Amino acid sequence: TVSDPDAGDTLTFDVSNLPGWASFDTATGRLFGTPQPGDAGSYSNIVISVNDGSASDSLPAFTITVEAVSMGSATLSWTAPTQNTDGSALTDLAGFRVYWTRLPNSAGTPITLNNPGLTTYVVENLAAGTYEFTLRAFDQSGNESVDSNVATKTIQ
């Protein structure tokens, strides 16, 4: 909060040592931004000041520390199907789709694996939480199998 004893002067804010991922509003003094994973580290000696044209003041220098978010992974493995649901030989297997949900009910984009020879896959960059995974095989026409059994993993 800023006040000016000369009421009516235009106040202008400034900042020094602004982190590259941050923004600053010179009309309000608001410092804001969202750092990305590569921005982890300490940003020190940040100073916000205000000027009314004749007098100025500033906050003490401060530091912002951005901590890296620990991301997890889940390794899925399966046995590829060899026959269709009617018992006939499966001859046109084209790949697999991994469906996943971060509980409660936050579905991720399905991952399409266009390789019928795969039997493992690692889902990476999972934030902390509990996840459910299912797998479906698909044929060259795009027809999908029923869901596999559900696998669950909690990322700490």
Side-chain angles (χ1 to χ4, degrees):
T1 301
V2 176
S3 62
D4 181 18
D6 301 336
D9 292 340
T10 300
L11 301 176
T12 304
F13 294 87
D14 193 25
V15 64
S16 58
N17 300 314
L18 179 69
W21 50 264
S23 297
F24 185 76
D25 186 329
T26 58
T28 64
R30 180 175 174 244
L31 173 68
F32 59 99
T34 303
Q36 299 301 306
D39 295 324
S42 283
Y43 300 85
S44 59
N45 204 28
I46 300 168
V47 177
I48 296 177
S49 58
V50 63
N51 186 318
D52 72 355
S54 60
S56 64
D57 200 3
S58 61
L59 293 172
F62 61 93
T63 299
I64 296 175
T65 302
V66 177
E67 295 181 5
V69 175
S70 178
M71 302 301 273
S73 64
T75 301
L76 308 175
S77 62
W78 61 90
T79 301
T82 57
Q83 52 185 23
N84 294 305
T85 54
D86 66 2
S88 63
L90 176 60
T91 59
D92 61 349
L93 180 63
F96 304 93
R97 285 197 183 90
V98 176
Y99 292 88
W100 59 278
T101 300
R102 181 176 177 193
L103 300 176
N105 302 320
S106 176
T109 303
I111 301 164
T112 300
L113 308 172
N114 291 313
N115 181 344
L118 288 178
T119 57
T120 63
Y121 183 76
V122 179
V123 182
E124 299 180 308
N125 296 319
L126 299 172
T130 300
Y131 294 82
E132 287 185 347
F133 301 91
T134 59
L135 185 82
R136 295 181 193 163
F138 64 91
D139 64 20
Q140 293 175 6
S141 298
N143 300 311
E144 290 187 344
S145 68
V146 297
D147 287 347
S148 66
N149 292 333
V150 175
T152 304
K153 181 163 185 182
T154 300
I155 305 294
Q156 300 291 332

